Amino acid sequence: MPPGILTLAADKATLSPANTGFMLICSALVMVMTPGLAFFYGGMVRVKSVLNMLMMSFISLGIVTILWVLYGFGLAFGTDKGGFIGWDGHFAGLSGIGLTELWGATTIPVYVFAVFQLMFAIITPALISGALADRVKFTAWALFIALWVTLVYFPVAHWVWGEGGWLFELQVIDFAGGTAVHINAGAAALGVLLVVGKRIGFKKDPMRPHSLPLVMLGAGLLWFGWFGFNAGSWLGNDDGIGAVAFVNTQVATAAAMLGWLAYEKLRHGSFTTLGAASGAVAGLVAITPACGAVSPLGAIAVGAIAGVLCAMAVNLKYKFGYDDSLDVIGVHLVGGVAGSLLVGLFATGGVQSKAKGLFYGGGFDQLGRQAVGVVCVLLYSLVVSYVLAKVIDLVMGFRVGEDEEVAGIDQAAHAETAYDFTGAGGGSIGRKGPALGEALTKKVDA
Amino acid sequence: MKLITAVIKPHRLDEVKDALQAFGVHGLTITEASGYGRQRGHTEVYRGAEYTVDLVPKIRIEVLVEDADAEELTDVIVKAARTGKIGDGKVWSIPVDDAVRVRTGERGPDAL
């Protein structure tokens, strides 16, 4: 929700069927990112906790949807109260909204805008879960999501995108969520990590990904859904800016994947599958705030820089000894910070906003604004997430027991396992299966 | 009688099987196995973290033979399984007290 969108339509807007349809499709695309993320993360953990990893994302689809309808949309996008939060009585329960009531000066209904934004609110807490793989109580996590979106995501979304929000008024550019989504989630991951601590065996036991094909599938779904995330964030495409965002998304992601792969080939000797998937995600993260402000060539630069930077950043956890299991900080926080700041360098001034970056003759103005956005969201999310996690830890305990963690959280938390290995290698030995064979024979005889 | 056990690289299985057949061995048992020898396994690097994968896939072949054939057959297997590269495997033999053909009840060398 780009600054200045309200000034674009001078005449009273009318509902555009094309933009409405486009935005409903974009909303569905953003929805698919959450299951995509679940598989991206799920493939990276060990066999014994893959279901829990999937569920930590999926549960967000349940919890956040309900809270969004009840009060989330009102808090994030209701009438501004002092720049820090919004509220609008007729948004509560999404019940006082007219079918053809338009969102601000746009050409899409409020309902469409609300559901599009809902998908952002769902995936953001799900992103945090990657830092907490294998070791947190599912109930504690569910409670954390509910509290976190209420106290962190809804307000921050208002700051950045809500009319009257203080970062919005400061004209910080965050096209589709570099600060509100990725820095926000990455900083939260760090905050919770400081409370939850490392996995048993971190740095000692091998914890390599159990299914790289799942990781690739998840990354592919994320990439696909991200077109809705970015191209949809202009809320219509009457002036072609949504299309620029789409192109930049593709270009930056490609460049970031190549950047990450080149870095790891030089550093470790091979092009890994996980590197390709991670590089793509890093590029998607970095271009998210920038895709409406830069040119396709600028997008190549943003992607390539973010790809290499994130590939370097994921090693930090070994250096500093915090167990950011699936690199939420290394990819989302670092990628989000990189993308948000690079807007201040590469913004052309000819697209989403008139603001020019340093390399386009705009001086340090926009870079300074971007830095304020980055630092404020980072600190707010870090501190509030830490306090929330601490309170949950004191009240109910955030971690599972040691024995449950070692045996695998899937069985303990969900009474299921992802894969059945008992019949591996061609069927059960010494056990008579159900009488399927007999039944078939009888049928043939008859 | 001797039980000859060979742990070899999976892709040499066909050569070893053919060589055993040419030698006149009537039966053998094959198991998919995994393990490592002196060279250990290999390493993989994911997102900067290095993981050692010790267990390498192997094929384990077991053949029962008469004492007189044991040494020559060992050589036959070694020749067929060798690639000259690291991880070619190992062959050993141990004495066997008795063997029974389940279908007929024949014992000792008759059961082979």
Side-chain angles (χ1 to χ4, degrees):
Chain A
M1 275 51 28
I5 192 165
L6 296 168
T7 59
L8 283 176
D11 307 326
K12 190 167 166 37
T14 52
L15 191 151
S16 158
N19 284 344
T20 300
F22 170 68
M23 288 307 297
L24 284 171
I25 290 170
C26 284
S27 305
L29 281 170
V30 181
M31 182 272 160
V32 92
M33 290 170 70
T34 298
L37 179 80
F39 284 112
F40 179 64
Y41 281 168
M44 271 189 269
V45 296
R46 289 164 291 174
V47 165
K48 62 184 180 180
S49 58
V50 50
L51 290 179
N52 180 252
M53 202 68 250
L54 297 175
M55 278 293 278
M56 283 172 89
S57 289
F58 258 76
I59 195 64
S60 185
L61 282 160
I63 293 171
V64 180
T65 300
I66 303 303
L67 298 185
W68 185 255
V69 169
L70 294 181
Y71 59 80
F73 181 56
L75 288 180
F77 292 102
T79 310
D80 179 64
K81 314 280 179 219
F84 287 90
I85 198 72
W87 185 248
D88 225 323
H90 83 297
F91 287 167
L94 298 187
S95 48
I97 300 166
L99 282 181
T100 54
E101 186 181 333
L102 297 185
W103 174 249
T106 70
T107 57
I108 60 167
V110 175
Y111 269 123
V112 176
F113 179 71
V115 84
F116 180 66
Q117 281 297 329
L118 162 63
M119 303 311 175
F120 284 63
I122 289 168
I123 193 169
T124 308
L127 290 171
I128 304 168
S129 68
L132 306 172
D134 304 348
R135 61 195 184 286
V136 300
K137 272 186 198 160
F138 191 64
T139 41
W141 170 248
L143 179 62
F144 176 79
I145 287 186
L147 296 173
W148 189 83
V149 289
T150 305
L151 296 175
V152 181
Y153 184 79
F154 299 157
V156 169
H158 180 75
W159 300 357
V160 177
W161 292 324
E163 198 201 331
W166 74 278
L167 291 175
F168 181 93
E169 295 301 324
L170 193 65
Q171 296 184 349
V172 172
I173 293 179
D174 184 3
F175 194 81
T179 45
V181 174
H182 297 287
I183 294 176
N184 202 356
L190 183 56
V192 184
L193 262 187
L194 294 174
V195 175
V196 168
K198 307 167 209 180
R199 284 171 292 181
I200 295 168
F202 175 62
K203 275 178 152 179
K204 288 198 302 261
D205 298 345
M207 298 181 181
R208 57 188 187 130
H210 93 282
S211 172
L212 288 164
L214 278 192
V215 174
M216 289 301 251
L217 173 70
L221 282 173
L222 279 171
W223 193 333
F224 177 68
W226 223 292
F227 291 122
F229 200 79
N230 285 356
S233 282
W234 196 244
L235 308 180
N237 205 17
D238 297 327
D239 47 14
I241 290 175
V244 171
F246 192 114
V247 171
N248 284 341
T249 303
Q250 177 67 13
V251 170
T253 308
M257 181 174 79
L258 298 180
W260 187 304
L261 286 173
Y263 173 82
E264 70 175 3
K265 174 70 182 170
L266 290 173
R267 185 83 176 64
H268 304 294
S270 45
F271 303 107
T272 67
T273 322
L274 185 63
S278 312
V281 173
L284 289 162
V285 169
I287 199 60
T288 292
C291 62
V294 301
S295 69
L297 278 177
I300 292 181
V302 170
I305 292 169
V308 174
L309 212 59
C310 292
M312 292 165 75
V314 296
N315 289 310
L316 293 178
K317 62 179 176 184
Y318 299 108
K319 214 168 257 172
F320 295 117
Y322 61 87
D323 183 10
D324 174 16
S325 318
L326 311 180
D327 298 310
V328 182
I329 297 163
V331 174
H332 293 276
L333 182 57
V334 172
V337 169
S340 295
L341 294 180
L342 289 171
V343 171
L345 301 182
F346 290 102
T348 60
V351 211
Q352 164 200 359
S353 151
K354 293 264 176 287
K356 289 184 178 182
L358 184 61
F359 296 166
Y360 287 80
F364 286 94
D365 269 15
Q366 193 59 37
L367 187 60
R369 285 193 204 108
Q370 296 301 113
V372 170
V374 165
V375 172
C376 292
V377 171
L378 199 163
L379 287 179
Y380 179 75
S381 180
L382 177 66
V383 171
V384 179
S385 305
Y386 176 84
V387 172
L388 269 180
K390 197 80 192 167
V391 169
I392 291 175
D393 196 39
L394 289 173
V395 173
M396 61 189 298
F398 215 126
R399 271 184 92 131
V400 296
E402 196 175 318
D403 49 342
E404 290 178 344
E405 185 180 334
V406 171
I409 200 166
D410 284 0
Q411 191 63 51
H414 309 291
E416 293 169 300
T417 47
Y419 306 99
D420 182 0
F421 293 119
T422 52
S428 49
I429 296 166
R431 216 178 70 187
K432 209 163 181 223
L436 183 65
E438 282 174 34
L440 283 176
T441 320
K442 271 178 199 154
K443 223 177 223 171
V444 173
D445 288 349
Chain B
M1 285 172 299
K2 287 268 194 322
L3 171 67
I4 297 182
T5 305
V7 175
I8 62 165
K9 282 186 169 165
H11 77 277
R12 301 304 290 177
L13 174 61
D14 280 345
E15 279 80 356
V16 173
K17 227 168 54 181
D18 292 348
L20 289 175
Q21 236 152 34
F23 186 83
V25 169
H26 302 299
L28 52 79
T29 305
I30 285 169
T31 322
E32 285 183 35
S34 61
Y36 59 83
R38 220 181 287 186
Q39 87 284 0
R40 311 289 283 198
H42 60 275
T43 55
E44 298 171 9
V45 179
Y46 292 113
R47 284 187 177 168
E50 204 167 289
Y51 300 99
T52 306
V53 183
D54 267 345
L55 302 176
V56 183
K58 295 282 171 196
I59 294 285
R60 176 189 173 110
I61 304 175
E62 286 166 308
V63 196
L64 271 176
V65 292
E66 290 192 47
D67 288 338
D69 293 336
E71 197 149 337
E72 199 182 343
L73 194 67
T74 304
D75 291 342
V76 166
I77 294 175
V78 168
K79 216 175 133 202
R82 177 178 289 158
T83 68
K85 292 195 197 112
I86 229 156
D88 267 355
K90 221 161 238 92
V91 184
W92 64 88
S93 70
I94 50 173
V96 174
D97 288 341
D98 200 1
V100 187
R101 172 168 287 125
V102 175
R103 176 169 53 85
T104 58
E106 290 162 283
R107 296 188 92 98
D110 291 339
L112 296 184

